[in-house]
Amino acid sequence: MNDIQPTSRRRSGGPPLGILAIVHAGLFLLALIVGFALSGAGAFLSPFAGADAVAAHAHADWAAIRVGAMLQFGSAVPLGIYAATAFARLQRLGARVPGPVIGFTGGLTASILLMVSAFGSYLLSRPELTSDPRLALAFSFLAFVAGGVGYVVGLGLLIAGMAVPGVILGLLPRWLAWAGLVVAALSELSFLSLAVEPLQFLLPIGRFAGMAWLIAAGFLLPLDRREVRDRAGVREGVRP
């Protein structure tokens, strides 16, 4: 009986965060791979290419766009679960600060806007809707803005909401927590790209660095306070 209770407590932390982050990143990357496999280098045409180019791309590569939209939508689901699970775990670890709430809000925002972006791409893949180049361009910009700035800013809030308690309470290795704060700051600054287009380079940095950070933090965030105490004891034990 005594051997079962600790295991049960450790399993009460919800789905494994690291696995959820891997599934999220994997589905998103798979959408990119499928796009390149079906349509080559022109699979992801920027809306800044113009209405006629976007409409032509939508008609020629509708299958790649639609499959990519499906996979992108699927990747949003584990991200939302990740945000909820991380919030509950941080609360259980004693993070009674706004950070976990901010992180949950950001993660939920990123998940929802990724779904909105996927819907925009799906609409772009419908030839009966994109015969009007201006409508095709509107769908393309919706997918770009929601899945770009919207997703990355939300992801940055999720990372910040985990990294700040990670630093203050020692829940994460200091290097990882501080790296998370840097990624979060760059992600938040990406909102400037709505008006200053050269700053769009921040979007892939926030997206892919953020995904990598969520994976690492998901595996390293303690399950309960006992694990935090155990880690602290190990650190104290190796001090000279």
Side-chain angles (χ1 to χ4, degrees):
M1 181 68 68
N2 291 336
D3 293 337
I4 295 176
Q5 289 177 349
T7 302
S8 300
R9 284 197 297 269
R10 291 176 68 84
R11 289 180 179 174
S12 65
L17 288 176
I19 300 300
L20 289 171
I22 288 175
V23 173
H24 165 63
L27 286 173
F28 191 91
L29 294 175
L30 183 59
L32 300 181
I33 293 171
V34 169
F36 283 119
L38 293 179
S39 302
F44 305 99
L45 186 68
S46 168
F48 296 99
D52 291 335
V54 168
H57 167 62
H59 282 274
D61 299 316
W62 64 269
I65 296 173
R66 190 172 302 175
V67 174
M70 176 193 69
L71 292 171
Q72 182 175 315
F73 185 92
S75 74
V77 176
L79 179 61
I81 299 173
Y82 185 108
T85 304
F87 169 76
R89 187 179 298 182
L90 288 170
Q91 291 282 296
R92 189 169 60 255
L93 289 169
R96 310 297 182 185
V97 292
V101 180
I102 293 172
F104 175 67
T105 302
L108 190 61
T109 298
S111 176
I112 291 173
L113 289 180
L114 199 58
M115 291 180 178
V116 172
S117 176
F119 288 149
S121 295
Y122 172 77
L123 294 174
L124 186 63
S125 76
R126 304 298 308 185
E128 64 271 28
L129 296 178
T130 55
S131 56
D132 182 349
R134 292 173 298 178
L135 190 58
L137 186 62
F139 292 148
S140 182
F141 268 114
L142 172 64
F144 176 79
V145 173
V149 174
Y151 166 79
V152 170
V153 169
L155 193 69
L157 290 177
L158 171 59
I159 293 171
M162 297 176 65
V164 171
V167 171
I168 296 174
L169 301 178
L171 302 178
L172 292 169
R174 290 188 65 82
W175 67 267
L176 181 62
W178 282 106
L181 291 176
V182 172
V183 173
L186 293 175
S187 298
E188 297 312 300
L189 288 175
S190 70
F191 86 94
L192 296 172
S193 66
L194 288 173
V196 186
E197 291 180 10
L199 292 179
Q200 288 175 2
F201 77 91
L202 293 172
L203 296 175
I205 294 176
R207 182 189 306 279
F208 295 110
M211 288 180 179
W213 192 91
L214 289 180
I215 293 172
F219 284 110
L220 294 176
L221 187 68
L223 291 172
D224 51 38
R225 292 185 180 183
R226 183 182 58 183
E227 188 172 338
V228 176
R229 292 193 297 268
D230 291 344
R231 291 184 184 182
V234 169
R235 288 195 295 268
E236 292 174 0
V238 297
R239 288 178 181 172

PDB file of all heavy atoms in Angstrom, residues 7-8 36 66 97 103 125 175-176 183 198-199:
ATOM      1  N   THR A   7       3.371   6.581  -6.075  1.00  0.00           N
ATOM      2  CA  THR A   7       3.208   6.489  -7.522  1.00  0.00           C
ATOM      3  C   THR A   7       1.925   7.161  -7.956  1.00  0.00           C
ATOM      4  O   THR A   7       1.874   7.866  -8.963  1.00  0.00           O
ATOM      5  CB  THR A   7       3.207   5.016  -7.955  1.00  0.00           C
ATOM      6  OG1 THR A   7       4.426   4.418  -7.535  1.00  0.00           O
ATOM      7  CG2 THR A   7       3.080   4.903  -9.468  1.00  0.00           C
ATOM      8  N   SER A   8       0.851   6.960  -7.173  1.00  0.00           N
ATOM      9  CA  SER A   8      -0.424   7.578  -7.520  1.00  0.00           C
ATOM     10  C   SER A   8      -0.335   9.085  -7.460  1.00  0.00           C
ATOM     11  O   SER A   8      -0.890   9.780  -8.316  1.00  0.00           O
ATOM     12  CB  SER A   8      -1.525   7.073  -6.569  1.00  0.00           C
ATOM     13  OG  SER A   8      -1.667   5.674  -6.672  1.00  0.00           O
ATOM     14  N   PHE A  36       6.097  20.814 -48.306  1.00  0.00           N
ATOM     15  CA  PHE A  36       7.242  20.773 -49.209  1.00  0.00           C
ATOM     16  C   PHE A  36       7.208  19.530 -50.095  1.00  0.00           C
ATOM     17  O   PHE A  36       7.588  19.579 -51.269  1.00  0.00           O
ATOM     18  CB  PHE A  36       8.548  20.821 -48.406  1.00  0.00           C
ATOM     19  CG  PHE A  36       8.895  22.179 -47.896  1.00  0.00           C
ATOM     20  CD1 PHE A  36       9.006  22.428 -46.538  1.00  0.00           C
ATOM     21  CD2 PHE A  36       9.117  23.237 -48.779  1.00  0.00           C
ATOM     22  CE1 PHE A  36       9.328  23.692 -46.063  1.00  0.00           C
ATOM     23  CE2 PHE A  36       9.444  24.504 -48.316  1.00  0.00           C
ATOM     24  CZ  PHE A  36       9.549  24.730 -46.959  1.00  0.00           C
ATOM     25  N   ARG A  66      -4.538  22.181 -47.734  1.00  0.00           N
ATOM     26  CA  ARG A  66      -5.582  21.581 -46.895  1.00  0.00           C
ATOM     27  C   ARG A  66      -5.007  20.579 -45.900  1.00  0.00           C
ATOM     28  O   ARG A  66      -5.396  20.568 -44.729  1.00  0.00           O
ATOM     29  CB  ARG A  66      -6.630  20.901 -47.780  1.00  0.00           C
ATOM     30  CG  ARG A  66      -7.869  20.478 -46.994  1.00  0.00           C
ATOM     31  CD  ARG A  66      -8.966  19.982 -47.932  1.00  0.00           C
ATOM     32  NE  ARG A  66      -9.337  21.014 -48.901  1.00  0.00           N
ATOM     33  CZ  ARG A  66     -10.202  20.801 -49.889  1.00  0.00           C
ATOM     34  NH1 ARG A  66     -10.755  19.605 -50.050  1.00  0.00           N
ATOM     35  NH2 ARG A  66     -10.502  21.784 -50.726  1.00  0.00           N
ATOM     36  N   VAL A  97       1.547  32.946  -7.728  1.00  0.00           N
ATOM     37  CA  VAL A  97       1.842  34.247  -8.335  1.00  0.00           C
ATOM     38  C   VAL A  97       1.091  34.324  -9.664  1.00  0.00           C
ATOM     39  O   VAL A  97       0.554  33.322 -10.141  1.00  0.00           O
ATOM     40  CB  VAL A  97       3.362  34.408  -8.549  1.00  0.00           C
ATOM     41  CG1 VAL A  97       4.085  34.520  -7.223  1.00  0.00           C
ATOM     42  CG2 VAL A  97       3.921  33.239  -9.353  1.00  0.00           C
ATOM     43  N   GLY A 103       0.652  32.385 -18.024  1.00  0.00           N
ATOM     44  CA  GLY A 103       1.078  31.319 -18.915  1.00  0.00           C
ATOM     45  C   GLY A 103      -0.095  30.559 -19.507  1.00  0.00           C
ATOM     46  O   GLY A 103      -0.114  30.263 -20.711  1.00  0.00           O
ATOM     47  N   SER A 125      -7.870  26.762 -49.239  1.00  0.00           N
ATOM     48  CA  SER A 125      -7.765  25.558 -50.070  1.00  0.00           C
ATOM     49  C   SER A 125      -9.054  25.227 -50.817  1.00  0.00           C
ATOM     50  O   SER A 125      -9.091  24.263 -51.575  1.00  0.00           O
ATOM     51  CB  SER A 125      -7.372  24.362 -49.195  1.00  0.00           C
ATOM     52  OG  SER A 125      -8.483  23.900 -48.424  1.00  0.00           O
ATOM     53  N   TRP A 175      19.705  28.038 -16.169  1.00  0.00           N
ATOM     54  CA  TRP A 175      20.018  28.355 -17.562  1.00  0.00           C
ATOM     55  C   TRP A 175      18.779  28.225 -18.440  1.00  0.00           C
ATOM     56  O   TRP A 175      18.569  29.030 -19.360  1.00  0.00           O
ATOM     57  CB  TRP A 175      21.130  27.453 -18.080  1.00  0.00           C
ATOM     58  CG  TRP A 175      20.737  25.990 -18.189  1.00  0.00           C
ATOM     59  CD1 TRP A 175      20.909  25.025 -17.246  1.00  0.00           C
ATOM     60  CD2 TRP A 175      20.101  25.368 -19.307  1.00  0.00           C
ATOM     61  NE1 TRP A 175      20.420  23.824 -17.696  1.00  0.00           N
ATOM     62  CE2 TRP A 175      19.920  23.999 -18.957  1.00  0.00           C
ATOM     63  CE3 TRP A 175      19.668  25.813 -20.555  1.00  0.00           C
ATOM     64  CZ2 TRP A 175      19.319  23.081 -19.819  1.00  0.00           C
ATOM     65  CZ3 TRP A 175      19.068  24.899 -21.414  1.00  0.00           C
ATOM     66  CH2 TRP A 175      18.904  23.557 -21.054  1.00  0.00           C
ATOM     67  N   LEU A 176      17.952  27.210 -18.154  1.00  0.00           N
ATOM     68  CA  LEU A 176      16.756  26.999 -18.958  1.00  0.00           C
ATOM     69  C   LEU A 176      15.718  28.078 -18.668  1.00  0.00           C
ATOM     70  O   LEU A 176      15.062  28.582 -19.593  1.00  0.00           O
ATOM     71  CB  LEU A 176      16.171  25.616 -18.668  1.00  0.00           C
ATOM     72  CG  LEU A 176      14.924  25.236 -19.466  1.00  0.00           C
ATOM     73  CD1 LEU A 176      15.223  25.207 -20.956  1.00  0.00           C
ATOM     74  CD2 LEU A 176      14.373  23.886 -19.011  1.00  0.00           C
ATOM     75  N   VAL A 183      13.590  33.991 -24.820  1.00  0.00           N
ATOM     76  CA  VAL A 183      12.692  33.586 -25.902  1.00  0.00           C
ATOM     77  C   VAL A 183      11.339  34.288 -25.757  1.00  0.00           C
ATOM     78  O   VAL A 183      10.755  34.751 -26.749  1.00  0.00           O
ATOM     79  CB  VAL A 183      12.504  32.055 -25.905  1.00  0.00           C
ATOM     80  CG1 VAL A 183      11.429  31.637 -26.913  1.00  0.00           C
ATOM     81  CG2 VAL A 183      13.816  31.360 -26.216  1.00  0.00           C
ATOM     82  N   PRO A 198      10.228  44.398 -41.399  1.00  0.00           N
ATOM     83  CA  PRO A 198      11.538  43.743 -41.243  1.00  0.00           C
ATOM     84  C   PRO A 198      11.682  42.939 -39.942  1.00  0.00           C
ATOM     85  O   PRO A 198      12.526  42.044 -39.860  1.00  0.00           O
ATOM     86  CB  PRO A 198      12.525  44.921 -41.276  1.00  0.00           C
ATOM     87  CG  PRO A 198      11.835  45.956 -42.087  1.00  0.00           C
ATOM     88  CD  PRO A 198      10.384  45.833 -41.728  1.00  0.00           C
ATOM     89  N   LEU A 199      10.866  43.245 -38.943  1.00  0.00           N
ATOM     90  CA  LEU A 199      10.952  42.516 -37.674  1.00  0.00           C
ATOM     91  C   LEU A 199      10.259  41.163 -37.725  1.00  0.00           C
ATOM     92  O   LEU A 199      10.191  40.465 -36.712  1.00  0.00           O
ATOM     93  CB  LEU A 199      10.351  43.364 -36.548  1.00  0.00           C
ATOM     94  CG  LEU A 199      11.137  44.623 -36.172  1.00  0.00           C
ATOM     95  CD1 LEU A 199      10.426  45.385 -35.061  1.00  0.00           C
ATOM     96  CD2 LEU A 199      12.556  44.268 -35.742  1.00  0.00           C
TER      97      LEU A 199
END
